[in-house]
Amino acid sequence: MNVGKTSLLHRYMERSFQETVSTVGGAFYLKQWGPYNISIWDTAGREQFHGLGSMYCRGAAAVILTYDVNSPQSLTELEERFLALTDSASADCIFAIVGNKVDLAEGRASPPGQNRAEKPPASSAPKGHRQVRAEDAIALYKKILKYKMLEEKDVPAAEKMCFETSAKTGYKVDQLFETVFEMVVPIIVRQKAEGPQQTVDITDYKPAKRTKSGCCA
């Protein structure tokens, strides 16, 4: 709750930051990405809506688990409360772990050669000491693989699927969604190509035989 899931989506979809209230139940977005339409569900973090999570995750090709880098409890809850909700996701589902609100934390390291345009502008908000390390997110990613009984060699590397973002400044938000889309779209296309025929030949339909019973024929 309050880790910025809706704000991340709004930053990516609308290219702006908007202060939002807690999501009620869930919200739906549709993203045109090349020739494909990608459905994105925004789930509520509040505990009273926890039961709806498995419904929103049903058949999901990708799951983005988000925490607040300034709140260790938010990372703990991902493992304790939300990981089991992914049981209804696709068998080939990919996972991304996202630490949001880096604009409020000190010690955000920028990788060498980073584009200056990606650096968040100075914020007047008071900064606190970082509470969650990148290594903690990587450890959670590996726990997910163990929970799903997946081999590390068969899935994207943890370092590639763990992100730190700022919905407020836009830092790494595009990289997050574009990376996930680039990975998941080929999987979906392959599944559709390999899947069963979606149409039914009604010429082969034979009605069930009626049987006599009791006093009614």
Side-chain angles (χ1 to χ4, degrees):
M1 181 177 174
N2 294 329
V3 298
K5 299 183 297 297
T6 301
S7 295
L8 279 171
L9 276 168
H10 194 272
R11 165 63 71 179
Y12 181 67
M13 300 291 290
E14 305 296 335
R15 321 307 295 172
S16 64
F17 175 74
Q18 182 178 15
E19 296 285 355
T20 62
V21 296
S22 296
T23 302
V24 176
F28 173 75
Y29 297 80
L30 190 64
K31 172 65 176 178
Q32 180 75 34
W33 195 73
Y36 305 104
N37 287 318
I38 299 178
S39 303
I40 308 172
W41 286 94
D42 177 21
T43 61
R46 294 164 64 182
E47 191 167 1
Q48 56 263 50
F49 299 116
H50 187 65
L52 298 175
S54 60
M55 179 182 69
Y56 295 132
C57 288
R58 186 174 299 133
V63 173
I64 299 174
L65 295 166
T66 310
Y67 66 94
D68 178 353
V69 297
N70 308 290
S71 170
Q73 180 62 26
S74 66
L75 186 67
T76 300
E77 287 189 8
L78 284 183
E79 181 177 356
E80 294 180 349
R81 290 179 50 199
F82 293 96
L83 184 55
L85 297 182
T86 65
D87 288 344
S88 59
S90 168
D92 292 329
C93 180
I94 65 172
F95 296 87
I97 311 295
V98 181
N100 193 36
K101 301 188 180 183
V102 296
D103 55 287
L104 299 180
E106 290 180 345
R108 178 184 59 77
S110 299
Q114 179 187 25
N115 191 319
R116 288 187 177 183
E118 293 183 350
K119 294 183 179 180
S123 172
S124 58
K127 296 184 184 297
H129 292 292
R130 172 184 292 275
Q131 298 294 310
V132 184
R133 303 172 303 165
E135 292 81 0
D136 298 325
I138 291 175
L140 175 59
Y141 183 82
K142 293 183 177 181
K143 287 181 180 179
I144 291 175
L145 300 186
K146 185 176 181 180
Y147 176 80
K148 294 292 184 179
M149 293 185 290
L150 298 172
E151 296 289 338
E152 290 189 38
K153 63 182 178 61
D154 298 326
V155 298
E159 290 76 11
K160 188 173 183 179
M161 300 309 298
C162 293
F163 302 83
E164 292 193 344
T165 63
S166 168
K168 187 171 185 178
T169 66
Y171 177 72
K172 296 291 185 180
V173 174
D174 283 2
Q175 179 181 339
L176 161 64
F177 285 100
E178 297 296 320
T179 297
V180 171
F181 292 166
E182 286 174 1
M183 289 185 176
V184 79
V185 166
I187 295 175
I188 297 174
V189 171
R190 187 187 72 244
Q191 288 175 341
K192 288 186 177 295
E194 297 174 350
Q197 186 177 358
Q198 298 299 312
T199 57
V200 176
D201 187 352
I202 62 174
T203 61
D204 290 338
Y205 172 72
K206 296 181 180 179
K209 293 182 179 179
R210 297 183 62 184
T211 59
K212 296 181 179 181
S213 62
C215 62
C216 301

